[in-house]
Amino acid sequence: QVRLMESGGGSVQAGGSLNLSCAFSGHTSYKYSMGWFRRRPDQARESREAVATLGRDGSIFYPNSVKGRFTIAHDSADNALYLQMNNLRPEDTAVYYCAADRRAEWWSPPQEFTYWGQGTQVTVSL
């Protein structure tokens, strides 16, 4: 059973930084594609948009909205996934989720990721 647990969310002012962590446990002998997704307040409950994905081959994807501000990293020793978020903006306010899947690729849509954490709230104020 794969389990993901996010931490590191909180409230910051615009321009600030946060570092999200995702602890990964379970069948760690397999290679997984992993990613960070978010649901903003104006989006449907089941909506998820990718903010950073890391493919099994090491490929990384960032949408233009976060490129240059967010950095995804995986620590194989700790079996943890991180998301460093700098120069945060109010529009980054969202619940952030980490996700993993053995068959998904870095370009895969959220619905192809099988394992999800519970999410962590990030609030950015002016």
Side-chain angles (χ1 to χ4, degrees), residues 6-25:
E6 305 92 340
S7 61
S11 297
V12 296
Q13 289 189 320
S17 297
L18 283 173
N19 189 22
L20 304 184
S21 301
C22 176
F24 183 102
S25 62

Side-chain angles (χ1 to χ4, degrees), residues 46-98:
E46 298 305 315
S47 175
R48 302 284 188 271
E49 63 176 9
V51 293
T53 57
L54 175 63
R56 288 174 290 140
D57 65 352
S59 298
I60 292 176
F61 164 77
Y62 302 104
N64 288 336
S65 57
V66 308
K67 196 174 291 183
R69 300 188 299 122
F70 290 12
T71 303
I72 189 172
H74 178 244
D75 186 328
S76 57
D78 291 341
N79 213 18
L81 186 70
Y82 301 97
L83 183 68
Q84 177 65 41
M85 305 186 295
N86 297 326
N87 192 20
L88 283 161
R89 304 167 180 170
E91 55 264 38
D92 295 318
T93 294
V95 179
Y96 283 73
Y97 301 87
C98 66

